[in-house]
Amino acid sequence: MQLVQSRDTPPTLRRMLYLLKLHPEITIKSRSVRQQMTRCLTANIRNTLRRHDERIRVKGQWDAVRVRLPEDATPDTVAAVEDGLPRIPGIHQILATEEVRFDSLDQAADRIVPLWSPAIAGRSFRVKAKRRGQHDFTSADIERHLGSRLLAATPDARVDLKHPDVVVPVELNDRRLQVIRARWQGLGGYPLGMQGQALALISGGFDSPVAAWKMLRRGVKTHFLFFNLGGPAHEAGVREVTHHLWARYGTSHKVKFISVPFEDVVGEILRTIPDGLMGVVLKRMMVRAAGRVARRAGIPALVTGDAIAQVSSQTLHNLGMIDAASELPILRPVLTDDKQDIIDQARILDTARFAEVMPEYCGVISRRPHNKAAREDIEAAEAGFDFQVLEDALTAAVTTRVDRLLDDQATPPPTEVMTVDSPEALASLEAPCVIDIRRADEQEAAPLDLPEVPLMHIPFYELQDRAPALPGDRQYLLYCDQGVMSRMQALHLADRGLHHFGVYRGTAPAD
């Protein structure tokens, strides 16, 4: 919540009425469209706030939406309302007001001076008045009268009509005086749901939650699609960030979270696709699957967190190759954003904390990716791909309402797996065995030499199938270059009840 004016108010004044100004892009629409958007915004605000108190009243007007709290609203309710209003798409500004009968300028000053004197002490200020109705004075008369009373009550304040530190706002509608005690910036954008629906591919990194948020802000009801590359541990983290994003910015609407198990698809890619094309083909398989999911749900567009040239699959050429595999248009809200700008926005949204502990599972796919993959090479490579694997993944997809994501989670993520960091610690274990899960070319390029410990070679994309058949009287330590894939695989095996697998992150002793 961004504070524009001081929120310090005497304890005897309660913030019971809020005027919500429409986003300027709403106000320039035709009369019928503006009315439709205002009705939608009013309904969204009502849906969002009623969970705090069913008695909250929301009423749409031509230039604003009024939110009135019951007179006995608790401080917790007031705090929840003031925290939630700035996150509702379509609101430009929130004005916390007290509305009273207007009798005279002196009576108005008696209300306003105690409220604003602390805020202007030692600072420059000006009074800005808006007046509607028939009165025997002008808006300028209101500003001069209130300004003089504020100066008399606060001698160390000073008037500055051009560049004040503090603006004291006052609105007079006929005989009703609205004393504005505080003012916050809203989220802007369009009311959620006004611009249709989209399906956002979300991975839990920095980019995809920011992309989804941008769609929410522009009024698009956004569902979430997750391709699981790392088992329950991966899904647990993505569930958390998705629920967080929805809870902060989209609670007016119920949306879906679809999880598609994609480890077997990755395994098929590693078995059949040349190294340099793996990243692009993986994204093509994802958008193929996403298009199928979206069409079944009647959703007309996909959303991704792609940004130009951030990784090899996101060069402009490769993005075109990915688009060619999609049945639906792919929207990319962060396409031209710098990575640091995306990270900064993720920190504002409070999604960065999830991304910082989320491994980049897609980053382990290709060692020498092509920046400009040829269409004929892609098509030739995909000709050997077993598309039944993709069909099986779609058949196994699970759909959950986003508001139930955390409640419906079938199993909690595993706490941890054993990690060994040195050859000496490895040798001290009882019956250890290291499994090198790297691809064959990686193993040949950098052989793992552990003379005192048995060594096996099982590519990670075969491990989940072969692990249950391994003898259970050994402690198996999985090895890969960065430790990301090995930890992911060990956690996945633990979730299947195979707890005698850990991670080896040491180096082989020198010859």
Side-chain angles (χ1 to χ4, degrees), residues 452-463:
E452 304 300 322
V453 177
L455 179 63
M456 300 179 64
H457 299 281
I458 303 177
F460 72 88
Y461 50 85
E462 297 180 2
L463 183 65

Side-chain angles (χ1 to χ4, degrees), residues 184-304:
W184 305 273
Q185 285 300 116
L187 186 60
Y190 291 121
L192 189 57
M194 279 302 303
Q195 303 303 316
Q197 302 183 83
L199 181 63
L201 280 62
I202 189 160
S203 65
F206 289 102
D207 305 338
S208 56
V210 173
W213 170 80
K214 286 195 171 190
M215 299 303 294
L216 291 169
R217 184 182 176 276
R218 298 302 289 180
V220 179
K221 181 180 177 181
T222 303
H223 304 269
F224 299 89
L225 177 62
F226 165 59
F227 291 104
N228 192 336
L229 306 179
H234 188 192
E235 181 162 340
V238 177
R239 279 175 174 250
E240 287 183 356
V241 68
T242 301
H243 186 273
H244 168 84
L245 192 65
W246 170 83
R248 285 173 68 94
Y249 301 103
T251 55
S252 59
H253 288 69
K254 297 295 187 293
V255 296
K256 298 174 181 177
F257 176 89
I258 303 101
S259 175
V260 180
F262 234 56
E263 296 112 315
D264 290 344
V265 176
V266 172
E268 181 65 11
I269 288 173
L270 290 165
R271 280 188 289 268
T272 62
I273 304 299
D275 178 78
L277 302 176
M278 288 180 179
V280 173
V281 170
L282 174 64
K283 293 295 183 65
R284 283 166 62 91
M285 295 300 169
M286 286 180 172
V287 300
R288 283 188 177 103
R292 297 271 296 280
V293 171
R295 282 196 179 279
R296 286 201 296 261
I299 299 173
L302 307 179
V303 178
T304 74

Side-chain angles (χ1 to χ4, degrees), residues 150-168:
L150 285 165
L151 277 176
T154 319
D156 59 344
R158 64 189 187 281
V159 173
D160 185 341
L161 299 181
K162 292 185 177 180
H163 305 290
D165 297 327
V166 179
V167 175
V168 180

Side-chain angles (χ1 to χ4, degrees), residues 377-388:
D377 292 342
I378 293 173
E379 292 174 350
E382 290 183 348
F385 184 91
D386 182 2
F387 278 88
Q388 185 59 46

Side-chain angles (χ1 to χ4, degrees), residues 3-8 116 165-169 181-184:
L3 183 62
V4 177
Q5 297 292 353
S6 171
R7 295 177 64 185
D8 295 330
W116 283 94
D165 297 327
V166 179
V167 175
V168 180
R181 300 188 302 277
R183 179 167 52 189
W184 305 273

Side-chain angles (χ1 to χ4, degrees), residues 306-338:
D306 295 328
I308 287 179
Q310 191 174 119
V311 295
S312 61
S313 64
Q314 295 174 14
T315 63
L316 194 58
H317 174 87
N318 284 348
L319 290 175
M321 294 298 99
I322 294 167
D323 284 355
S326 178
E327 301 178 16
L328 298 175
I330 302 175
L331 309 179
R332 297 180 170 96
V334 299
L335 184 68
T336 60
D337 290 0
D338 293 338

Side-chain angles (χ1 to χ4, degrees), residues 19-172:
L19 297 179
L20 313 179
K21 299 296 184 179
L22 306 178
H23 181 57
E25 291 184 30
I26 298 176
T27 65
I28 63 175
K29 303 297 183 186
S30 66
R31 182 179 185 87
S32 60
V33 173
R34 177 172 177 170
Q35 289 175 334
Q36 183 184 15
M37 287 189 172
T38 302
R39 285 195 296 270
C40 181
L41 177 58
T42 301
N44 290 351
I45 295 168
R46 188 178 294 116
N47 289 341
T48 301
L49 298 184
R50 66 184 178 186
R51 60 195 173 105
H52 303 302
D53 193 322
E54 289 283 353
R55 299 171 298 163
I56 294 175
R57 295 291 176 260
V58 183
K59 183 179 180 181
Q61 298 177 322
W62 174 247
D63 60 346
V65 177
R66 295 164 63 93
V67 174
R68 186 181 298 277
L69 272 60
E71 293 183 359
D72 61 347
T74 66
D76 287 344
T77 298
V78 174
V81 168
E82 294 188 356
D83 186 58
L85 287 175
R87 298 177 184 153
I88 299 176
I91 299 174
H92 175 60
Q93 197 173 71
I94 300 100
L95 307 177
T97 73
E98 179 189 42
E99 188 175 79
V100 297
R101 176 179 173 79
F102 175 81
D103 295 319
S104 66
L105 290 176
D106 280 332
Q107 174 254 0
D110 291 340
R111 289 271 184 178
I112 293 168
V113 169
L115 184 66
W116 283 94
S117 290
I120 67 173
R123 308 172 73 186
S124 64
F125 77 98
R126 65 159 294 184
V127 178
K128 185 175 181 179
K130 291 184 178 180
R131 182 181 60 86
R132 298 182 183 89
Q134 299 296 320
H135 307 94
D136 57 359
F137 49 81
T138 66
S139 297
D141 293 331
I142 298 176
E143 294 171 356
R144 283 192 291 268
H145 188 87
L146 296 181
S148 63
R149 287 283 302 270
L150 285 165
L151 277 176
T154 319
D156 59 344
R158 64 189 187 281
V159 173
D160 185 341
L161 299 181
K162 292 185 177 180
H163 305 290
D165 297 327
V166 179
V167 175
V168 180
V170 179
E171 291 195 15
L172 180 60

